[in-house]
Amino acid sequence: MAITLINPEGLPEIDAYRQVSIATGSKLVFIAGQVAWGADGVTVGEGDLAAQVERCYLNIGTALAGAGASFADVAKLTVYVVDWTPDKMPLLMEGITRAAAKLGAAPVPPASLLGVAALDVPEHLVEVEATAVID
């Protein structure tokens, strides 16, 4: 495995992610921002943040598999949420938890969460991009 995730002493421990990833692999995998599209290009979970988060993470999992990687190889995630407010955190975490159960993995690499005004189309509430490192 090319990625080691840690929470260094002196930084807060966050359940949803680790503060640092250490990459030792030789290939970088950059996953484009994934939105809540099914394989047919139709939006999944319109108006439902948790369902869209789940679909985004599942799409990341599919993209990783296509590159010969898994969430264990992810060094960094960036999550963009339309009109973010802290009260949306439970829905975000619900979607991540549901995706983790389906993926059989806890996606906990370092992550950045950004509130944005809009994404590519009005139906999309969230977009997730990933960087992975593999041997």
Side-chain angles (χ1 to χ4, degrees):
M1 216 176 303
I3 303 294
T4 301
L5 302 175
I6 64 170
N7 278 320
E9 189 173 323
L11 293 178
E13 287 194 27
I14 310 293
D15 289 338
Y17 63 90
R18 302 299 175 264
Q19 295 283 4
V20 176
S21 70
I22 302 164
T24 58
S26 58
K27 293 181 185 176
L28 296 176
V29 179
F30 299 95
I31 308 295
Q34 296 297 303
V35 293
W37 277 331
D40 57 3
V42 175
T43 298
V44 173
E46 192 169 336
D48 182 343
L49 180 60
Q52 288 200 16
V53 168
E54 178 183 5
R55 173 49 51 194
C56 290
Y57 274 76
L58 294 174
N59 287 351
I60 291 285
T62 299
L64 288 165
S70 72
F71 266 99
D73 301 306
V74 173
K76 175 82 167 71
L77 291 170
T78 304
V79 180
Y80 304 91
V81 181
V82 174
D83 297 326
W84 174 258
T85 55
D87 63 310
K88 294 180 180 179
M89 185 62 81
L91 293 172
L92 179 79
M93 295 309 299
E94 178 185 336
I96 293 170
T97 299
R98 290 185 340 210
K102 289 180 179 175
L103 292 164
V108 294
S112 295
L113 172 62
L114 301 165
V116 297
L119 291 169
D120 58 331
V121 295
E123 301 84 42
H124 291 158
L125 305 175
V126 62
E127 182 170 328
V128 181
E129 65 182 20
T131 302
V133 180
I134 55 178
D135 292 318

